[in-house]
Amino acid sequence: MSKEIVVSGIRSTGNLHLGNYFGAVKNFLKMQHEYNCFFFIADYHSLTTHPTPADLHSNVKQVLVEYLACGLDPEVSTLYVQSDLPEIAELYLLLNMNVYVGELERCTSFKEKIRKQPDNVNAGLLTYPSLMAADILIHRALKVPVGKDQEQHLEMARQFGNRFNRLYNTELFPEPYAFNYGTQLVKIPGLDGSGKMGKSEGEGNAIFLADTPEAIRKKVMRAVTDSGPTQENQEKPEVIKNIFQLMSVVSSEDTVKFFDDAYNTMTIRYGDMKKQLAEDMIKFTAPLREKIEAIKSDEEFVSKIARRGAEKARESASATVNAARKAIGIRHF
Ligand code: TRP
């Protein structure tokens, strides 16, 4: 039996941090062996917010390199850059003919975007869900590993696919559904005390895999704490729990226990704890950072991976677009 098809888009500006590493990346590494996976860097989507031409390619390359360094295997999964597939743009155009402005305007992410960038309410922003539907439908995917924030986009992809099928009397597009392993992922809090590690939470909240030791030390030493325990064995407030949680991910059990005991006996010095945490984070990320650097400097290798990925993806994509054109009634002379 052939494996089920998985498609996922990766934001082209999303340099990986520890939260991603223990979240999306870990899932991708498992999925690639169990499904027929298509992972791509969504550079077209990033154009909806107008990045500068000078940054675009280096962002795409960095993200590609980081996923490779983490272990995404281009021999098992198909790894490509969205803009390398003209078929996606074509399917996007074809789908858009039966997508209604009203339904796009009602999309939550669109409403949020026009609040955030009122001076740049472009048609790409409005049709973001059509493009995402094209990304998914182009490989006739069944599973899409995305979080809750993408649920509405996925529902629209199902709707657009079903509508196409109905209008053109075909069964070309199956229904894609959100997919995760259902197992609890380890929680990776940020350093600013606000809870989750995230890129958008502000400077200094996230530890990126490509961060230098100096950058890691600086960020960790600035992590939010409190004025210390006031009673023995007291329950830790959230910000302190977060620091301990981060430590439990990168440090040895003995180290965590040492500081836990110190907290409980009220002898803890947060400065010492942060120093230890920073060194352990550096140790943890060092092999990844080295791999990132090594892969990045091998232009030839990275280009080859991207070209081969696009070639593989286009096989599947062109078959779908040809079938869509045929269903619509487009014929070559
Ligand atoms: N919208 C997704 C995000 O912001 C990225 C994305 C684009 C995507 N196309 C996709 C995800 C197709 C899954 C499938 O994270």
Side-chain angles (χ1 to χ4, degrees):
M1 228 194 68
S2 65
K3 290 178 177 173
E4 282 186 324
I5 294 169
V6 168
V7 166
S8 197
I10 300 163
R11 294 180 203 184
S12 61
T13 50
N15 293 3
L16 292 173
H17 54 64
L18 280 176
N20 301 132
Y21 183 77
F22 287 101
V25 176
K26 205 173 139 201
N27 282 338
F28 283 8
L29 294 185
K30 189 165 169 205
M31 262 170 234
Q32 65 180 349
H33 297 292
E34 296 170 5
Y35 298 97
N36 183 4
C37 290
F38 292 85
F39 299 123
F40 67 93
I41 298 164
D43 57 344
Y44 277 151
H45 279 100
S46 79
L47 300 178
T48 58
T49 55
H50 294 181
T52 65
D55 291 344
L56 191 63
H57 183 72
S58 61
N59 284 343
V60 169
K61 183 183 170 194
Q62 182 70 21
V63 173
L64 178 61
V65 165
E66 290 187 2
Y67 274 84
L68 289 169
C70 287
L72 221 63
D73 185 349
E75 296 296 323
V76 244
S77 60
T78 306
L79 192 55
Y80 59 99
V81 180
Q82 184 185 32
S83 61
D84 278 341
L85 269 65
E87 292 83 2
I88 291 176
E90 185 170 354
L91 184 60
Y92 164 70
L93 179 148
L94 297 176
L95 290 173
N96 265 338
M97 302 306 165
N98 300 302
V99 168
Y100 298 97
V101 172
E103 61 189 335
L104 293 172
E105 282 172 338
R106 281 194 296 277
C107 182
T108 316
S109 64
F110 177 67
K111 289 190 210 158
E112 228 171 84
K113 278 283 187 210
I114 59 177
R115 235 186 343 98
K116 271 199 208 145
Q117 51 179 70
D119 300 330
N120 182 15
V121 185
N122 59 70
L125 215 48
L126 182 68
T127 56
Y128 187 110
S130 314
L131 182 55
M132 181 158 160
D135 292 330
I136 297 166
L137 298 175
I138 198 82
H139 302 299
R140 310 176 70 228
L142 293 178
K143 289 183 157 63
V144 185
V146 287
K148 278 252 175 307
D149 64 321
Q150 298 297 314
E151 194 51 70
Q152 194 180 27
H153 289 151
L154 214 50
E155 196 185 315
M156 293 170 93
R158 286 193 290 276
Q159 194 154 32
F160 301 161
N162 283 332
R163 192 176 293 163
F164 187 100
N165 289 349
R166 206 167 1 87
L167 285 169
Y168 302 114
N169 195 24
T170 166
E171 287 176 13
L172 182 57
F173 298 120
E175 289 192 325
Y177 280 94
F179 168 65
N180 61 59
Y181 280 109
T183 46
Q184 199 60 44
L185 291 167
V186 284
K187 182 188 163 198
I188 308 294
L191 294 169
D192 68 356
S194 70
K196 221 176 134 183
M197 184 172 286
K199 188 186 166 75
S200 50
E201 317 299 324
E203 207 36 49
N205 185 48
I207 298 290
F208 293 94
L209 302 185
D211 274 347
T212 60
E214 298 72 47
I216 294 176
R217 280 190 199 104
K218 213 158 121 190
K219 288 187 203 175
V220 173
M221 292 316 285
R222 287 195 190 141
V224 176
T225 53
D226 62 5
S227 51
T230 52
Q231 278 174 46
E232 286 192 359
N233 301 312
Q234 74 173 66
E235 207 197 320
K236 300 181 187 84
E238 207 57 30
V239 284
I240 303 304
K241 270 191 200 155
N242 286 349
I243 304 284
F244 272 93
Q245 175 61 19
L246 283 171
M247 189 169 241
S248 76
V249 171
V250 294
S251 306
S252 73
E253 264 177 55
D254 285 351
T255 304
V256 180
K257 189 175 181 317
F258 174 84
F259 288 102
D260 195 49
D261 288 346
Y263 188 86
N264 288 332
T265 54
M266 294 167 56
T267 55
I268 191 157
R269 290 185 0 195
Y270 290 141
D272 293 346
M273 183 176 182
K274 287 180 185 177
K275 251 184 222 152
Q276 181 71 45
L277 178 60
E279 293 318 306
D280 289 340
M281 275 190 174
I282 291 165
K283 223 180 275 166
F284 182 87
T285 52
L288 290 165
R289 184 173 54 251
E290 283 160 21
K291 252 200 206 129
I292 290 169
E293 287 311 316
I295 296 175
K296 198 169 154 180
S297 63
D298 194 346
E299 295 275 352
E300 193 83 25
F301 174 75
V302 179
S303 300
K304 209 173 89 193
I305 300 276
R307 280 200 301 265
R308 280 217 28 225
E311 209 176 291
K312 254 165 72 183
R314 289 191 73 182
E315 267 176 46
S316 145
S318 63
T320 305
V321 165
N322 286 338
R325 290 170 65 110
K326 193 164 167 218
I328 290 171
I330 297 171
R331 302 270 188 284
H332 278 302
F333 281 99

